[in-house]
Amino acid sequence: MPYVPPTNHVERVSKLIAGRVVDGGAEHARLALSHLRARDDYHLDPGASAGPRILSAAELRIIQRGEQALLGASGLCLPRLHEMVREAGYCVLLANADGVTIDYCVDRDHRNDFKRAGLYLGSCWSEQEEGTCGIAAALSDQSPITVHKNDHFRAAFTTLTCSAAPIFSPSDRLIGVLNASALRSPDERDSQRLVNRLVRQNAVLIEDAYFLKTHAHCWVLLGHRNRHYVDVQPEILIAIDGHGQVLAANRCARQCVPALASVPGTALPCIEDVFDLRADRLFDTQARSALLALRPAGGAVLHARVRAPLQRAFVKAPAVQPATVQSAPGAPAEMLDDIDLLERDRILAALAQHQWRAALAAPLLGISRATLYRRIARFKIVAPHRS
């Protein structure tokens, strides 16, 4: 793309705000409002050529420690998304709800190029600091967007293309943004449709992983509208307590099941009121091994399996001999932080539920068999029959 002098970019920003630029596609109105806020509310200079503020390593570590749940949920999605878009010259960023990049994936050969552009760990992309950009717009409007080249408010970023999607907690709290950025991409806005869709899909996968981690203490229905995808990639997640009360449902479940549309809410439904299914049947061993066909009132049939709670208490079932977790010399098991303990317990429970067959436990955990073996090795988990 030809170099755009700052003076020309400043003029374009003014025209966009005034409604005299109409090449912003469906995002035109959002871009204009974001530009207006950047100029009038935050008093930013559209002609500025400096890159974003980047936190020190110490500052970043403090923030990352507070985002362990989000980082743990996104651990598989970032490299998977990067593998899909890397050949087109994209890097992948994960930002928290303040717009700080807390994780990223980038080709080693191009790391310095992305770093010079500000696409780096610890970079700050809030609208208050940088004006209109992918991460800032997704945070401000809480919806996916592609900010393409000259759509950026600041002249420093007019060669970048950024597709971003917000990430929400089970209670609909905005917790972060997934972003894919390219240093050079085609000028046509339509060229970004595929990347935008991939980013949105992976943001949902992070939300679902976060859902499962934060509801590890619950019974969870994992379902899909197509029975063949239940064990591969369940799209419907419903968390239930030991009394059959629905505690949470992911966005897809709320869209597909009318009775869950108001979840989260003050009056939570009982699972028996959502499906023609007694709660005690869900907790039955036979039900946990069966593929259930559930018919919600006013909705299509859903297919689901039941995941039992993945806490340490569940691992100690009488029928299963407990596994041992061996600590490295001089490093007791209690030195693992909370997220590691939760992950270890999830793995132990899944393995115990499937008689220590990794091929069956891995899909339950939402990871590949190779990843499961690496985590077994990391936590030094030893099966009972090998103890």
Side-chain angles (χ1 to χ4, degrees), residues 27-330:
E27 311 295 349
H28 174 76
R30 290 178 64 186
L31 294 169
L33 287 173
S34 178
H35 281 8
L36 183 63
R37 290 192 298 267
R39 186 192 68 181
D40 294 354
D41 295 349
Y42 309 129
H43 309 292
L44 300 179
D45 177 11
S49 58
R53 178 170 65 97
I54 296 181
L55 301 180
S56 68
E59 291 172 323
L60 177 61
R61 281 196 298 271
I62 292 172
I63 291 176
Q64 287 174 324
R65 280 200 291 270
E67 302 288 356
Q68 285 301 303
L70 176 58
L71 287 166
S74 64
L76 295 176
C77 289
L78 259 65
R80 180 167 51 197
L81 174 59
H82 183 245
E83 191 61 32
M84 296 175 182
V85 299
R86 60 185 294 273
E87 292 297 330
Y90 284 80
C91 72
V92 174
L93 308 179
L94 176 70
N96 69 359
D98 295 319
V100 177
T101 304
I102 57 175
D103 198 5
Y104 81 145
C105 283
V106 61
D107 273 346
R108 185 179 300 274
D109 293 344
H110 301 110
R111 182 175 297 173
N112 289 334
D113 295 332
F114 282 106
K115 184 176 181 180
R116 281 193 291 270
L119 302 170
Y120 193 65
L121 278 174
S123 54
C124 302
W125 295 100
S126 69
E127 192 176 68
Q128 292 90 327
E129 290 196 68
E130 300 304 333
T132 310
C133 60
I135 291 174
L139 287 173
S140 298
D141 299 335
Q142 299 191 11
S143 61
I145 193 171
T146 292
V147 178
H148 187 53
K149 296 192 172 181
N150 287 330
D151 294 342
H152 288 84
F153 180 79
R154 292 184 50 200
F157 310 127
T158 54
T159 60
L160 304 181
T161 291
C162 306
S163 289
I167 301 167
F168 296 94
S169 75
S171 60
D172 275 346
R173 177 173 58 90
L174 181 63
I175 57 175
V177 172
L178 182 64
N179 178 85
S181 293
L183 299 178
R184 290 167 290 275
S185 65
D187 288 343
E188 296 76 18
R189 180 180 296 276
D190 285 349
S191 66
Q192 304 307 309
R193 286 184 177 179
L194 175 59
V195 174
N196 183 286
R197 185 166 74 246
L198 291 173
V199 170
R200 285 186 281 117
Q201 289 172 347
N202 280 272
V204 171
L205 293 178
I206 293 174
E207 288 180 359
D208 288 348
Y210 190 94
F211 184 105
L212 292 173
K213 283 180 177 293
T214 55
H215 291 90
H217 60 291
C218 300
W219 298 81
V220 178
L221 277 174
L222 303 101
H224 202 286
R225 285 164 287 192
N226 186 324
R227 66 186 303 273
H228 300 291
Y229 289 93
V230 172
D231 295 319
V232 179
Q233 187 59 65
E235 61 177 359
I236 294 166
L237 305 177
I238 304 171
I240 309 157
D241 67 15
H243 302 289
Q245 192 98 18
V246 174
L247 301 180
N250 70 346
R251 283 198 281 169
C252 185
R254 283 177 269 153
Q255 292 167 1
C256 296
V257 183
L260 299 177
S262 60
V263 175
T266 53
L268 297 175
C270 179
I271 195 65
E272 295 178 2
D273 298 327
V274 178
F275 302 109
D276 184 17
L277 179 70
R278 289 182 57 83
D280 53 5
R281 170 117 199 280
L282 290 178
F283 312 142
D284 182 87
T285 302
Q286 184 176 354
R288 295 204 300 271
S289 63
L291 183 64
L292 304 175
L294 307 175
R295 185 181 294 278
V301 173
L302 306 176
H303 306 275
R305 291 195 187 278
V306 182
R307 189 201 73 176
L310 298 183
Q311 286 193 330
R312 279 168 286 185
F314 176 69
V315 179
K316 298 174 183 177
V320 179
Q321 184 179 354
T324 62
V325 180
Q326 300 177 347
S327 301

